[in-house]
């Protein structure tokens, strides 16, 4: 119930930006899918099997050890920018990906989701233009929407935004857009990746038209056969804000992410961060520094890649078997956690969901991931929290429901 509808019986009056907020469609859907016994492909969670519990325990013991000099500092208030060692690690890591980043440009955030929220506060005004992929990450739409921008989707294919469509859209625009939000690697929700030529073509348009980019990359390390092309940040340092995260390579419960911003924007993001939460938990930052300092991720991340790779293979094989003959289409992700399915003509993913749940499996309908003109035939499947046997079983259930619906 909207308190503004209750006037004058309530003394509260919602801000316009609060009226613009809406519940995450996914969380609402997940309630339906959380029935016991359901094979759940709807969530966006990493596999808990990948969480390095032993390394975390050892690091906590080190930080809180009896004579530890870092115990009390890690429990004290800390700097808003983040722990220097962690900022340095991020800068070094980006160097390995071809981007020259100074630690002063790194802002440690409470998950990269907070980075999206800070960017929205610092860069968006009511009525301003903002460009996104079609479809795009729902959590970003949630972060941007309260600022009441006019969100425009750019036509996209299985490599992301189409440079020519972008060019035409920019020509049409009387006022420039504040930025374009892009997910070049193993995108949530589609699993697609921008290849080298597409990155260059899109960047050429952005550079030419002075359209800055927010590059969100929580999945980039989760590649299967080969690393993705170098980040957009490495190609246009002054025109890109970059978001990274520890959620998919260590654990999301740590709530650790980071924003890399050009110096001109950094101080504004920092001020927004101070207002939001003063700083990201120093204890979590210190523990993560302890975990990663001796190259732990070099051993750990390949185990995640191998696990997800096998699950992706199982998912693609099961989809070919179960949905191949129905006329459905799906993406073939080369990393990440998701496959995006387009059901055969005449089917609607939202309408199909209750039947799928009755048959024992759940997915997320694709419509909420579109800022405009949703494709009601689409749905997202996560392959990382199910075993290959569960994937087989779940896709068999989906195939059965799709075939039964087509026959009607
Ligand atoms: N961006 C994308 C594309 C995501 O999929 C997610 C997590 N679902 C996030 C940002 C936020 O991740 P976190 O806050 O855990 O770093």
């Amino acid at each position: 119930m909207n308190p503004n509808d209750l006037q004058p019986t309530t003394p509260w009056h919602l801000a316009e930006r609060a009226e613009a907020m809406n519940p995450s469609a996914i969380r609402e859907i997940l309630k339906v899918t959380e029935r016991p016994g359901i094979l759940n492909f709807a969530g966006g969670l990493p596999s808990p099997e990948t969480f390095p519990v032993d390394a975390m325990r050892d690091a906590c013991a080190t930080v809180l050890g009896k004579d530890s000099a870092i115990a009390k500092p890690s429990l004290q208030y800390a700097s808003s920018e983040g722990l220097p060692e962690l900022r340095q690690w991020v800068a070094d890591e980006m160097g390995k990906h071809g981007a020259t980043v100074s630690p002063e440009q790194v802002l440690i955030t409470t998950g990269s989701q907070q980075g999206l929220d800070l960017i929205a506060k610092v860069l968006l005004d009511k009525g301003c233009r903002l460009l996104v992929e079609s479809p795009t990450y729902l959590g970003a739409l949630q972060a941007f929407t309260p600022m009441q921008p006019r969100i425009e989707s750019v036509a996209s294919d299985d490599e992301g935004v189409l440079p020519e469509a972008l060019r035409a859209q920019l020509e049409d625009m009387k006022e420039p857009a504040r930025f374009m939000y892009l997910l070049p690697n193993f995108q949530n929700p589609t699993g697609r990746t921008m290849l080298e030529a597409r990155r260059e073509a899109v960047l050429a348009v952005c550079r030419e038209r002075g359209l800055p980019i927010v590059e969100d990359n929580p999945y980039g390390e989760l590649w299967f056969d080969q690393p993705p092309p170098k980040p957009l940040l490495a190609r246009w340092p002054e025109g890109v804000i970059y978001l990274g995260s520890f959620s998919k390579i260590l654990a999301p419960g740590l709530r650790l992410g980071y924003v890399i911003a050009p110096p001109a924007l950094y101080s504004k993001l920092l001020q927004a961060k101070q207002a939001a939460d003063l700083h990201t938990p120093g204890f979590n930052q210190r523990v993560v520094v302890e975990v990663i300092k001796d190259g732990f991720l070099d051993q750990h991340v390949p185990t995640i890649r191998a696990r997800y790779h096998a699950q992706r293979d199982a998912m693609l094989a099961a989809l070919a078997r179960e949905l191949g003959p129905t006329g459905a289409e799906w993406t073939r992700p080369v990393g990440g956690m998701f496959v995006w399915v387009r059901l055969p003509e005449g089917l609607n993913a939202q309408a199909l969901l209750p039947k799928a749940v009755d048959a024992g499996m759940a997915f997320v309908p694709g419509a909420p991931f579109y800022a405009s003109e949703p494709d009601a035939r689409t749905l997202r499947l996560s392959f990382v929290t199910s075993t290959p046997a569960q994937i087989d079983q779940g896709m068999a259930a989906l195939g059965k429901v799709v075939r039964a619906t087509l026959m009607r």
Side-chain angles (χ1 to χ4, degrees):
M1 174 65 93
N2 179 343
N4 288 356
D5 296 338
L6 292 177
Q7 294 288 342
T9 51
T10 168
W12 302 105
H13 189 95
L14 281 181
E16 266 184 58
R17 89 182 68 79
E19 289 206 57
M21 293 174 189
N22 42 51
S24 160
I26 291 199
R27 278 180 205 277
E28 296 300 305
I29 290 160
L30 291 185
K31 285 184 200 152
V32 185
T33 63
E34 271 160 9
R35 275 201 231 154
I38 298 290
L39 294 166
N40 196 343
F41 303 92
L45 313 179
S47 167
E49 304 295 326
T50 67
F51 300 162
V53 177
D54 292 340
M56 294 293 301
R57 185 188 310 109
D58 291 349
C60 287
T62 304
V63 175
L64 299 177
K66 218 165 182 344
D67 299 314
S68 164
I70 51 176
K72 287 181 178 164
S74 70
L75 295 171
Q76 184 56 283
Y77 281 119
S79 78
S80 304
E81 291 88 340
L83 212 62
E85 293 92 325
L86 200 54
R87 298 170 75 201
Q88 182 68 54
W89 182 88
V90 171
D92 293 346
E93 202 57 27
M94 293 311 296
K96 294 181 201 160
H97 291 99
T100 310
V101 170
S102 116
E104 282 77 52
Q105 286 175 264
V106 180
L107 178 62
I108 303 295
T109 54
T110 306
S112 56
Q113 186 67 32
Q114 183 180 50
L116 292 167
D117 182 66
L118 302 179
I119 288 166
K121 285 177 176 150
V122 166
L123 290 173
L124 299 178
D125 285 311
K126 186 175 177 181
C128 75
R129 292 185 118 158
L130 164 65
L131 301 185
V132 300
E133 295 179 50
S134 176
T136 190
Y137 169 50
L138 183 64
L141 294 176
Q142 259 198 308
F144 300 151
T145 300
M147 300 301 130
Q148 300 165 272
R150 278 178 291 154
I151 305 182
E152 293 179 23
S153 303
V154 184
S156 308
D157 66 4
D158 57 8
E159 277 196 51
V161 299
L162 291 159
E164 286 320 310
L166 175 63
R167 186 184 298 280
Q169 204 156 333
L170 292 177
E171 240 131 59
D172 256 8
M173 290 210 287
K174 282 164 216 75
E175 69 178 282
R178 293 292 165 89
F179 61 84
M180 178 162 61
Y181 171 67
L182 294 181
L183 301 112
N185 298 325
F186 328 130
Q187 193 227 29
N188 182 2
T190 61
R192 69 191 174 201
T193 297
M194 289 172 81
L195 299 181
E196 179 63 32
R198 178 65 60 91
R199 287 180 199 225
E200 283 300 319
V202 169
L203 264 177
V205 179
C206 291
R207 272 215 191 85
E208 189 187 306
R209 305 300 307 244
L211 173 66
I213 293 170
V214 171
E215 176 178 25
D216 190 7
N217 187 27
Y219 302 102
E221 289 301 321
L222 307 182
W223 46 266
F224 301 148
D225 293 314
Q226 59 185 45
K230 68 179 180 191
L232 306 177
L233 176 70
R235 302 160 196 261
W236 192 25
E238 62 281 14
V240 176
I241 299 179
Y242 180 96
L243 295 158
S245 176
F246 290 93
S247 291
K248 312 298 181 327
I249 54 172
L250 279 179
L254 293 163
R255 308 309 304 127
L256 271 190
Y258 48 92
V259 177
I260 299 170
L265 283 176
Y266 190 90
S267 59
K268 281 294 156 197
L269 290 167
L270 181 63
Q271 287 157 26
K273 165 85 182 157
Q274 285 166 344
D277 64 354
L278 301 182
H279 65 80
T280 292
F283 181 75
N284 296 15
Q285 296 185 62
R286 176 55 72 183
V287 167
V288 165
V289 166
E290 287 302 317
V291 169
I292 65 181
K293 69 180 181 192
D294 295 324
F296 171 80
L297 290 174
D298 296 340
Q299 270 85 56
H300 181 60
V301 176
T303 66
I304 309 178
R305 288 181 195 134
R307 168 180 283 274
Y308 290 3
H309 190 165
Q311 289 164 304
R312 191 272 325 245
D313 287 349
M315 178 69 91
L316 292 183
L319 282 171
R321 203 164 51 235
E322 301 295 339
L323 291 188
T326 68
E329 295 160 16
W330 56 89
T331 55
R332 284 158 184 79
V334 292
M337 305 186 351
F338 305 113
V339 170
W340 187 246
V341 177
R342 188 154 188 260
L343 294 169
E345 204 175 333
L347 263 59
N348 177 304
Q350 181 77 51
L352 198 74
L353 181 61
K355 298 182 201 170
V357 171
D358 285 344
M361 71 82 71
F363 56 78
V364 189
F369 294 91
Y370 291 87
S372 54
E373 295 170 47
D375 181 345
R377 283 162 61 185
T378 57
L379 60 93
R380 189 190 72 180
L381 296 169
S382 161
F383 49 82
V384 303
T385 45
S386 309
T387 63
Q390 289 169 327
I391 291 171
D392 281 350
Q393 209 187 327
M395 293 313 108
L398 177 63
K400 207 167 132 197
V401 171
V402 167
R403 287 190 298 273
T405 313
L406 278 175
M407 283 195 315
R408 257 183 238 137

